[in-house]
Amino acid sequence: MFVADRAPSLKTVLLATGVVLTMAMGVRHGFGFWMQPISQAHGWTRETYSLAQAMQNLMWGAIGPFAGMAADRFGTMRVVLVGAVSYAAGLFWMALVKDPTLFVLGTGLFVGLGLACTAFGAVSGIIGRVAPAEKRSWAFGISGAAGSLGQFMLMPIEQQLISAVGWQNAFYILGALLVALMVPMAFYLREPAVTHAHGPQQSIREAATEALGNRSFLLLVAGYFVCGFQLVFIGVHMPAYLKDKGIANPGVAVMALALIGLFNIFGSYYAGKLGGRLPKRYLLSAIYFARALAITLFLLAPLMPITVYLFAAAMGVLWLSTVPLTNGIIAGVFGVKHMSMLAGIVFFSHQLGSFLGVWLGGYLYALQGNYDVVWGITIGLGVMAGLVNLPINERPLARMQAA
């Protein structure tokens, strides 16, 4: 029931993981819509909800390497099943709990575990193991596009659900939908026992020690920290930022976040496709430099719906396009046997950045009444990440060549 005699086809894996990622990332990207209604209902400042989102991102990152280990060792199917249940429980928790401390802790644990078991890190291993080497970067691009499709599709739905049935009932509906769609897809991700995996027979400890002692891996870790800081700050705080600046129509924020998802479908796909032809490190650097430029132009331009939409489209192209390139470098340098675990370690850095970005946004807003300093930090970090990725060495390790 739990272990397949042979690996599923690449088409099956991409379809099943596509549905899982669509739901996992689509629901997660809409959490910014709940900031104001939850804060108003409970009499909280924005810092409380921001801290809950920061804790969720931190736990997602902290649990990610262990979820990756479990996926590599026991199979992706089991991990996705656990994640679907935990994710839904987290949404129910957010709907029911009124105590701020319990809200922060429960959101962090349940939603963080759910995302760690259903997002990119957990499913990257099976994609890397099933896809031929020449199609691997492309396959990672397809999975990134699926996460973006979820953002594009679910953003308007989530906002309409909040308006139509209330913010609490919206959580209940989305939680039920997560279980209904993710659980059946998990059973298409059954794999042969791990001993059938290709590549050198390293232990988990050996693989982790090797990666953490590798300069290029550490540079990837540093760059991914910036990615998390930028994306989660923008994703969570953008609706409130626009309202503060006089764009009171919530439809503008909904459209902006949906456009990010729409354009990221193309950005992720073509980043993965280009990653099979061009050096991935140069593409990563270009993405980070372009983000810094896009944010700068957005802050300098007059704020109106059209400039918001143009910024959203530009950021959408750059949003998750780092994922197929980063995972492609990991698979190319270290192999695919421990792919999910190594991707989880890199992603932990991403989530440390996410924690700092979303929390700092709320903290500095409460302190200063604006987001100016955080916007400046996102620009500076983008330039830094662009420089950090340039010296990465993409050649397979000597042991891989010998094998």
Side-chain angles (χ1 to χ4, degrees):
M1 177 179 178
F2 295 109
V3 179
D5 295 329
R6 57 188 177 88
S9 69
L10 178 59
K11 180 180 179 180
T12 298
V13 168
L14 289 178
L15 286 173
T17 58
V19 173
V20 171
L21 287 168
T22 293
M23 293 304 301
M25 301 305 293
V27 171
R28 176 251 182 181
H29 277 298
F31 281 143
F33 295 134
W34 277 271
M35 176 183 286
Q36 290 179 316
I38 288 181
S39 298
Q40 291 171 1
H42 298 319
W44 298 340
T45 65
R46 290 184 190 178
E47 185 181 1
T48 299
Y49 187 81
S50 296
L51 182 59
Q53 293 301 305
M55 184 63 69
Q56 169 219 121
N57 281 282
L58 183 63
M59 295 304 296
W60 178 7
I63 298 170
F66 301 100
M69 291 178 197
D72 291 332
R73 177 66 181 86
F74 302 109
T76 306
M77 183 199 70
R78 289 182 173 92
V79 172
V80 171
L81 288 174
V82 171
V85 174
S86 181
Y87 204 150
L91 297 182
F92 297 155
W93 184 276
M94 293 173 73
L96 293 170
V97 175
K98 298 179 181 179
D99 179 80
T101 301
L102 292 177
F103 182 87
V104 169
L105 294 176
T107 299
L109 179 60
F110 292 122
V111 179
L113 175 61
L115 283 164
C117 294
T118 58
F120 296 109
V123 303
S124 63
I126 190 171
I127 296 172
R129 287 188 287 271
V130 170
E134 66 275 10
K135 290 186 177 181
R136 193 173 290 143
S137 182
W138 169 83
F140 287 137
I142 292 290
S143 67
S148 306
L149 179 63
Q151 182 176 352
F152 174 67
M153 290 174 55
L154 291 180
M155 284 289 176
I157 293 174
E158 290 172 54
Q159 200 275 336
Q160 289 298 320
L161 278 175
I162 293 172
S163 300
V165 300
W167 63 268
Q168 288 176 303
N169 289 327
F171 276 137
Y172 298 143
I173 292 171
L174 289 172
L177 191 61
L178 279 174
V179 173
L181 292 178
M182 284 187 178
V183 169
M185 290 300 103
F187 288 95
Y188 288 99
L189 300 176
R190 290 177 295 174
E191 299 178 79
V194 71
T195 52
H196 296 173
H198 301 293
Q201 298 302 307
Q202 286 181 305
S203 68
I204 289 174
R205 182 177 180 179
E206 289 170 341
T209 301
E210 178 184 68
L212 292 172
N214 182 277
R215 178 172 178 264
S216 294
F217 186 82
L218 296 179
L219 292 176
L220 278 178
V221 167
Y224 235 28
F225 174 90
V226 175
C227 184
F229 186 102
Q230 293 175 324
L231 300 196
V232 179
F233 164 68
I234 294 173
V236 173
H237 290 280
M238 175 66 84
Y241 172 77
L242 295 179
K243 189 172 182 180
D244 291 343
K245 291 295 185 178
I247 300 181
N249 181 5
V252 175
V254 173
M255 178 61 72
L257 294 176
L259 283 173
I260 289 175
L262 174 62
F263 279 86
N264 193 39
I265 295 172
F266 303 102
S268 295
Y269 175 79
Y270 283 104
K273 193 171 183 179
L274 288 173
R277 302 177 182 177
L278 301 174
K280 298 176 184 64
R281 63 189 183 277
Y282 294 152
L283 294 172
L284 281 172
S285 292
I287 288 168
Y288 287 117
F289 285 135
R291 283 187 189 174
L293 178 60
I295 295 169
T296 301
L297 293 176
F298 174 61
L299 296 177
L300 293 176
L303 191 64
M304 58 185 71
I306 186 62
T307 58
V308 173
Y309 298 151
L310 289 173
F311 172 67
M315 286 301 297
V317 173
L318 308 168
W319 197 255
L320 293 178
S321 51
T322 57
V323 174
L325 299 173
T326 300
N327 286 340
I329 291 175
I330 294 171
V333 174
F334 300 99
V336 297
K337 180 181 179 184
H338 296 288
M339 174 75 206
S340 292
M341 179 194 68
L342 296 180
I345 293 174
V346 175
F347 194 70
F348 179 47
S349 173
H350 183 284
Q351 295 309 97
L352 287 175
S354 299
F355 174 90
L356 188 60
V358 69
W359 172 77
L360 198 61
Y363 174 75
L364 289 179
Y365 182 89
L367 195 66
Q368 301 176 338
N370 60 62
Y371 292 109
D372 295 347
V373 173
V374 189
W375 281 119
I377 293 172
T378 63
I379 295 170
L381 288 176
V383 174
M384 185 201 77
L387 295 173
V388 158
N389 277 273
L390 286 174
I392 288 174
N393 186 347
E394 298 180 40
R395 290 192 298 271
L397 293 181
R399 63 163 175 80
M400 290 296 299
Q401 294 169 344

